[in-house]
Amino acid sequence: MRGWTAADIPDLYGRRCVVTGANSGIGFHTALELARHGAAVVLACRSAERGRAAMERMKAEVPGADLELDTLDLADLASVRRFAAARADRPLDLLVNNAGVMALPRRVTADGFEMQFGTNHLGHFALTGLLLPALLAAPSPRVTTVTSGAAWGGRLDFADLQGERRYRRWAAYGQSKLANLVFAKHLGRRVPKILSTSAHPGFASTELQKVGPRMEGSRLRERLWEFGSVFSQSAAAGALPTLYAAVSPDVEQGACYGPRYQVMGPPTKAVMPPKANRTEPAERLWEVSEALTGVHYEVPAEG
């Protein structure tokens, strides 16, 4: 049976969307397909230069695409606040929390957070909260947060969330991706008007895997990733679970979507680690995230 493809995306004319990390990989193909199907898409990119190059590629493939480029550095809360303030006055139908970093040597953000937790989770937590009024002004708002299979090995270490006592790059990455899952699930509980989903790409070939080795100057590790990519699916295929979670009429509140065969294949509902469904650590993560970012989700009472 034929699986779901980008050709199944419904008409999105009149919808406003924001995609973080839209200049490459999963984010690029997510933004491209949203625009191809009529959405007005904001490309939220850390590098204006790479963002402009991506936008030109999209316009070459989809002439007349409704695209806007704006810089957004999720590792800098001042940048997050500026970006959100610029879009607070218009309804936002879809936010795709896609950008991320993976398995880096220990670094800190502009605000002093461990880079992976700070970028992958806290930056998106703050962005979503600051865009909440715009999302709630839309008739059927959605937020899709990109996670990873690495969430299965993740653990929310509340005693050392920033990896100050002990830092292991893959453990920190798994923690940040588990935080993405927990956040997506709990957002739906906290703000039920928003259809909050998560998605993971399986094993897709993108530039994400190469950043850590490049930062360390490890050509060997970079070559190993390049060799492994021979067995991966394309970034376009890896974007399908995100697109499905973001636009399909069949998705469920709080659910995660991924490739049918775990690492590749058409999108389907994915099994989440049981720890991602627990309410108590989700509440604790939410409280910690509000305290660290200074962003509090103000949800107006119904009626």
Side-chain angles (χ1 to χ4, degrees):
M1 185 176 66
R2 184 184 73 88
W4 192 91
T5 72
D8 296 305
I9 296 173
D11 181 11
L12 301 175
Y13 181 78
R15 305 281 185 89
R16 294 185 65 246
C17 311
V18 168
V19 180
T20 68
N23 57 281
S24 66
I26 304 301
F28 175 88
H29 289 282
T30 298
L32 174 66
E33 294 303 331
L34 292 174
R36 192 193 306 278
H37 290 82
V41 184
V42 178
L43 313 180
C45 305
R46 185 172 61 86
S47 165
E49 180 181 359
R50 290 195 293 269
R52 280 191 294 271
M55 186 163 67
E56 290 308 311
R57 287 172 57 201
M58 290 182 199
K59 287 184 174 180
E61 189 161 339
V62 185
D66 189 348
L67 300 172
E68 176 189 347
L69 173 65
D70 199 357
T71 54
L72 170 65
D73 185 353
L74 289 159
D76 184 346
L77 290 178
S79 175
V80 174
R81 289 183 180 278
R82 183 208 58 77
F83 178 91
R87 1 215 76 73
D89 59 345
R90 294 180 61 191
L92 178 64
D93 298 281
L94 171 65
L95 170 62
V96 180
N97 290 323
N98 162 80
V101 293
M102 185 176 78
L104 304 180
R106 193 176 191 281
R107 300 286 189 276
V108 295
T109 70
D111 304 281
F113 308 133
E114 186 276 311
M115 185 64 74
Q116 297 191 83
F117 187 71
T119 302
N120 298 352
H121 170 62
L122 291 176
H124 282 124
F125 178 91
L127 178 66
T128 306
L130 292 166
L131 288 174
L132 194 61
L135 287 161
L136 293 176
S140 301
R142 292 190 180 205
V143 174
T144 296
T145 302
V146 178
T147 182
S148 162
W152 278 88
R155 182 174 73 91
L156 295 175
D157 184 359
F158 288 105
D160 192 23
L161 281 173
Q162 310 294 339
E164 295 171 304
R165 298 177 186 174
R166 183 186 184 193
Y167 181 77
R168 292 172 296 159
R169 71 187 70 201
W170 283 107
Y173 180 66
Q175 175 179 252
S176 72
K177 293 287 102 179
L178 176 59
N180 287 152
L181 264 183
V182 171
F183 165 70
K185 184 84 173 178
H186 207 52
L187 176 62
R189 296 189 192 108
R190 285 258 185 164
V191 193
K193 183 185 174 182
I194 292 176
L195 180 53
S196 176
T197 57
S198 56
H200 76 86
F203 186 23
S205 179
T206 71
E207 287 295 304
L208 181 66
Q209 298 95 336
K210 301 175 185 177
V211 174
R214 285 175 183 166
M215 289 179 69
E216 288 191 314
S218 176
R219 182 58 182 159
L220 174 61
R221 287 182 58 215
E222 189 175 345
R223 290 295 297 274
L224 287 172
W225 276 113
E226 290 171 353
F227 175 75
S229 69
V230 173
F231 305 98
S232 66
Q233 60 183 346
S234 67
L240 289 178
T242 299
L243 286 161
Y244 183 83
V247 304
S248 172
D250 301 324
V251 300
E252 302 170 11
Q253 180 73 279
C256 182
Y257 296 87
R260 180 181 295 169
Y261 308 113
Q262 304 299 321
V263 295
M264 61 182 59
T268 188
K269 188 176 179 181
V271 178
M272 291 194 294
K275 54 194 168 187
N277 296 315
R278 296 171 187 156
T279 305
E280 185 177 349
E283 287 282 2
R284 187 174 180 186
L285 178 64
W286 197 279
E287 292 170 3
V288 168
S289 300
E290 286 191 331
L292 290 173
T293 63
V295 175
H296 299 269
Y297 282 54
E298 301 294 339
V299 183
E302 291 294 329

